[in-house]
Every structure is written in C-alpha cells, then in structure tokens.
Amino acid sequence: RQHTAAPRQRRDAPAAPLLTMSAKEEKGNTEDCSKATAAVLVKSEKMPEDTPQCRGYDFNKGLDYEAMFRSFLTHGFQATHFGLAVEQINMMLRWRLSQETFDPSKETDDMKDPKVRATTKCTIFMGYTSNMVSCGNREVIRYLLQHNLVSAVVTTGGAIEEDIMKCYNPHYMGDFKLSGRELRLKGINRIGNLLVPNANYIKFEDWLKPLLLDMLKEQKSVTKEVTLSKKEARDLVFDQSNGGVVIKECPKRESLEKAQVIGIEGKLVLGNIPVENHHAALSEHFNTNASVTLTVIVPGVVWSPSMIIRKMGEKINNKESCLYWAYKNDIPIFCPAITDGAVGDVVFFNSYKNPGLIIDTAKDIRKINEMAMNAHKTGMLILGGGVVKHHICNANLMRNGADYSVFINTGQEFDGSDSGARPDEAISWGKIKIDAKPVKVYGDASFIFPLLVSQTFAKEVARRGREEEESKK
C-alpha cells in the first residue's frame, strides 16, 4: 500500500512561526468588549430612598400568619397584588364622610351634623359569578351578608338557585377528569370538580313553583273598598294628571299609594270632579259621616329581579342562605340575568300552565344606578367577570367612577373582553375615578377570596365586636 501521510519533520528543522495579533486588531477587540460591557451594564440611577424592597416571609421566625400575609406586599407578582387588594378593601371599610370637608355644592345642610358624617360609610358593591356559590365561597359570601358588610350584590342566575338548593341538599366533591358521558347517564351534573345530582334541581323546582304562583296573584290589580277616618282622608294627596284619580300620598295608609279612586260610598266618583275640589267633596261628605269608604283599584306588584330574590330569601328562612341574610339586612341582590339558569327553567315550564308573570328589569337598573349616584363614596369588589363585573362598573359610571376597586379573576385582556379587562380600561370609560388606585388579582377566587376576607372583613367584624364590648363597660 502506498503511504500518503506527510513526511516527518526533522528534529533540527526550524519551528513554525506563531500567529500574533496586530496592535490595530487588539485595539479593535478592546473597543468591541467595551461596547458590550456598556450595553450590558447600563449605568443605574440611584433608587429613591422610599422604594420598597422585595422580601418574603422568614419562617425561621415561627408560624405567624398575620406577619406572613403582611409580607405579601413585598413578595412580588400576584402576592403583592393580594396585599394591595387588602389595602383597598380596608380603605372601603374604614372610610367615613367625616374624613372629608363639607361641600355645600354637593351636600345638603343635614350632612353638616358631625354624627351623620361619622356614620356615613362607603357604599360597597359586591359582584360574584355563580361558581362562587357552587364552591365553598358561598359560606364566605354569606358571612359578609350576615354581618352587613356590603351595600349591594350583583350576581348571576346560578348563584340564586344554588344558594336555595344547598339549603336542602349538598353539592359533592368530584374530579375535573370525570367522564361527562357517564355522569349524564347517571343524572349527575359537573361544575369543575363538584357534582350536583339532578334531584337537587327537582327539589328546587318544587320549592319555587308555589312562590311563582303567589307572585302572579300579587301582580294582578284588585278592586276593593277601604274605609278611612276623617284624619286619614284629609291627609290624602291626589294626582289627576293621567285622566283618572290616583292617590299620590296617603301617609297613614301607604299601601293605598298609587291606587286609583273610582268612587266614594259606592256613589260619588271623584273622576267627575276637578282635582282642586276633591278635598271639598270629601269635607262635604264628612259633615254627616265620621269616616269615608273609598272604592279603589289597587295596582298589582310589578316584580323586578331583586324583588323576586328578596321574596325567595324571606321564604327560605334558613340562616345558611346568602339570600336569607340579604333579606334580613335589606341588602339588594341584583341579577339582570335571573332567567339564565334553573330559575328561568321553572319560569318557562310554569308559563304554560300559569302564563302572565312579568319580570321588570327596568326597576332594578334604576335602583342600582341611583344607589351609585347618591353614594358619597363607592367601592367595587368583583369576583369573576361577565355581566356581574360590567353591571357594577356601569352603575359607577353614573357617578364618574368608583373610588376603590378590587377585581379577582383569571381573565386576560388580549381578546378585548370586559371580563379580562384591567382596571385601567375601566378608568378610560369613567367607571373608576382617574385618581383611584384599583387592583386586579390574577387567580382563582375560590382560594384567594377567603384569604382576602381573613385580612379585611373578618377583622372589621372583630373590631366592631370590641367596640360593642367597650360600649357596655
């Protein structure tokens, strides 16, 4: 075989010359390195002295939950947002009108009273989607309503029905991975990793149907005779602007307000007499009678969603119920989508046998908007998105924005949804004041909300308890 390898070099042959870098090349490399260093290590400005430092909780100091929660403010990421949410809610709870200077352009003279100012609180709107009642947050929400810690609630249809259902039968723990086909064949519904048998819904339908029938009866107007004393009759104020004679004011018998008068003692019809002569006609009648019997048409009740929910809370009469405590403490629960769920199913089925029930949403939109407009300060605490988030935000638009806001949800804003929108978007609409410091916590409210309540509302209840004990001494 022929060898193709290079011949060996003689030991006495001169060594190959070393490659050396020219001075010019060395200078160029040094300049390149300096540029890279300058790019990587941009000179820092000095941090302001009051800038908080990132620091977590040191468990070497023992298991101190209060200190751990306080440390969340400097923990970073969503832990810091949690800490900021605690601050926002505590500001809602602590605010009193006495902290503000009297403004004659916005406030009436009765608001000058120091006692009135000291007891005028922030109006807190709370919103939550139905899954918050499906899970254990129902008990947390009930606690807030029981202790009168919020002013109004906005929720969805599922939260109404499931609160009532849980008074009779529980929801059960399941798993996210359970087969939908197998559950359907067994008549069991899955909400995440919770299970609700169809039997629970059947029980709810049996409970709600008689209530709907009662509401339908109350909706219908009634013609009846009512007897008034001379004093009661003289306080009447009539309205004849729409052609008929309607009782505008009846201080001693408020149930007669808005009733149409069609006769006195079954004979005299006020509609045939000019309104300015009504009292003269009554006075003439009293010359010979100590009382007067009016024939009136009492209008029926026009039900709004919040009125229906209040009636449900009254009927359930169960201290485990959110609706019950809202009824007891006169906290309105607004549900613009009340028919989107089992309530709507029962209304639908019932409409075939007993048609005619009217649900008036116009009443509620006026009520919630006026609550916001008349409030001196407002706060929003919203779990989830959709209709509950927008409904509360839109009500606060009527007053040029809420003063305090906390959103807890997993929504993202990239798709343009209101559910995922950050608070800054609401500021652009006038739903949150431009100088407010709203907070959004990104996460699952099923565990964030109880922790949040432990650092805010629960402490407020404890504070009130201490004040009550001190007042007894």
Side-chain angles (χ1 to χ4, degrees):
R1 295 172 63 184
Q2 292 184 347
H3 294 279
T4 57
R8 293 183 181 180
Q9 188 174 6
R10 290 174 52 188
R11 289 186 179 180
D12 56 351
L18 295 174
L19 297 175
T20 59
M21 187 182 296
S22 68
K24 183 177 181 181
E25 289 174 324
E26 184 174 355
K27 181 181 178 183
N29 284 349
T30 302
E31 288 178 353
D32 289 342
C33 185
S34 297
K35 289 178 182 178
T37 302
V40 173
L41 301 175
V42 176
K43 186 177 179 180
S44 300
E45 292 186 2
K46 187 177 180 181
M47 295 296 292
E49 294 293 333
D50 59 349
T51 303
Q53 297 179 11
C54 177
R55 191 172 182 83
Y57 180 69
D58 184 358
F59 282 96
N60 286 316
K61 295 180 179 179
L63 194 57
D64 185 341
Y65 288 111
E66 292 298 311
M68 183 188 74
F69 280 122
R70 286 195 300 271
S71 76
F72 280 12
L73 268 173
T74 60
H75 204 94
F77 309 136
Q78 294 309 301
T80 294
H81 280 218
F82 177 93
L84 294 171
V86 169
E87 290 185 343
Q88 276 283 292
I89 293 173
N90 283 333
M91 282 191 278
M92 296 182 204
L93 292 170
R94 293 169 185 165
W95 183 86
R96 297 294 182 271
L97 186 57
S98 54
Q99 299 169 14
E100 312 285 338
T101 304
F102 176 76
D103 185 349
S105 65
K106 297 179 181 178
E107 301 176 52
T108 55
D109 286 343
D110 60 314
M111 300 308 295
K112 291 180 179 179
D113 187 341
K115 291 182 179 179
V116 172
R117 299 185 76 78
T119 55
T120 300
K121 303 176 183 178
C122 176
T123 298
I124 300 176
F125 294 91
M126 182 181 180
Y128 51 88
T129 46
S130 64
N131 56 331
M132 295 295 97
V133 173
S134 306
C135 71
N137 271 346
R138 179 214 186 202
E139 282 64 44
V140 183
I141 294 165
R142 186 220 67 220
Y143 174 84
L144 268 58
L145 296 168
Q146 179 181 354
H147 293 282
N148 214 6
L149 293 163
V150 296
S151 311
V153 167
V154 177
T155 190
T156 53
I160 304 304
E161 65 215 29
E162 291 184 50
D163 179 66
I164 299 297
M165 287 161 57
K166 282 188 170 185
C167 291
Y168 292 101
N169 297 296
H171 287 14
Y172 298 91
M173 299 306 302
D175 194 287
F176 285 98
K177 299 188 294 294
L178 291 176
S179 166
R181 182 180 184 279
E182 291 180 11
L183 290 174
R184 178 61 178 166
L185 293 173
K186 294 177 180 178
I188 297 173
N189 307 284
R190 181 170 68 84
I191 305 172
N193 58 356
L194 304 176
L195 300 175
V196 188
N198 273 341
N200 294 19
Y201 285 93
I202 294 170
K203 176 66 178 177
F204 173 72
E205 182 178 352
D206 292 340
W207 181 87
L208 184 60
K209 280 194 295 187
L211 189 67
L212 294 179
L213 287 174
D214 290 343
M215 288 164 50
L216 186 58
K217 290 176 183 176
E218 292 182 52
Q219 181 181 290
K220 296 174 181 177
S221 60
V222 177
T223 301
K224 62 180 182 179
E225 292 187 341
V226 292
T227 301
L228 302 178
S229 68
K230 188 180 295 189
K231 181 174 177 54
E232 289 175 328
R234 284 175 177 168
D235 287 337
L236 290 172
V237 176
F238 297 103
D239 177 14
Q240 204 173 358
S241 59
N242 292 322
V245 179
V246 175
I247 297 175
K248 185 178 181 181
E249 295 178 21
C250 186
K252 303 293 190 300
R253 302 280 285 276
E254 291 184 2
S255 62
L256 293 179
E257 291 181 2
K258 298 183 180 179
Q260 182 180 0
V261 181
I262 59 174
I264 301 177
E265 305 296 349
K267 298 176 183 179
L268 177 64
V269 180
L270 289 180
N272 297 329
I273 303 172
V275 68
E276 61 270 17
N277 297 329
H278 286 169
H279 283 287
L282 290 173
S283 297
E284 183 179 341
H285 176 86
F286 283 129
N287 288 334
T288 54
N289 299 278
S291 63
V292 61
T293 300
L294 301 179
T295 304
V296 298
I297 300 175
V298 180
V301 177
V302 180
W303 298 98
S304 69
S306 67
M307 291 169 66
I308 295 172
I309 294 165
R310 177 180 171 80
K311 193 170 184 69
M312 292 171 72
E314 179 183 13
K315 181 183 177 182
I316 193 64
N317 194 28
N318 187 314
K319 292 183 179 180
E320 292 184 1
S321 165
C322 297
L323 272 55
Y324 168 79
W325 285 109
Y327 157 72
K328 289 287 287 185
N329 290 324
D330 199 22
I331 300 169
I333 297 181
F334 299 101
C335 186
I338 192 170
T339 55
D340 182 27
V343 173
D345 295 344
V346 182
V347 169
F348 166 69
F349 294 134
N350 203 51
S351 68
Y352 285 92
K353 290 183 179 180
N354 303 284
L357 180 65
I358 297 170
I359 300 177
D360 180 10
T361 58
K363 269 189 176 182
D364 274 358
I365 193 64
R366 177 166 178 170
K367 185 173 182 178
I368 190 173
N369 285 358
E370 287 185 345
M371 280 190 73
M373 290 162 63
N374 296 329
H376 293 274
K377 215 81 163 177
T378 64
M380 304 190 297
L381 171 57
I382 304 174
L383 315 180
V387 67
V388 302
K389 181 170 180 273
H390 188 268
H391 208 61
I392 292 175
C393 287
N394 202 70
N396 279 273
L397 169 61
M398 303 299 155
R399 65 184 306 276
N400 201 28
D403 300 277
Y404 310 108
S405 303
V406 172
F407 300 161
I408 305 173
N409 62 61
T410 57
Q412 303 292 322
E413 67 175 349
F414 66 85
D415 59 359
S417 67
D418 182 72
S419 294
R422 292 182 299 112
D424 191 63
E425 183 177 301
I427 291 175
S428 77
W429 287 89
K431 297 170 183 176
I432 297 176
K433 291 197 180 297
I434 58 175
D435 56 351
K437 296 180 179 179
V439 181
K440 175 174 177 175
V441 183
Y442 290 82
D444 177 6
S446 69
F447 74 89
I448 293 173
F449 185 55
L451 299 178
L452 198 58
V453 169
S454 75
Q455 298 304 297
T456 53
F457 294 104
K459 290 185 175 182
E460 174 65 12
V461 172
R463 184 192 67 77
R464 291 179 187 178
R466 290 192 298 270
E467 283 187 356
E468 188 175 342
E469 289 298 319
E470 287 295 324
S471 66
K472 294 177 181 178
K473 294 180 181 179

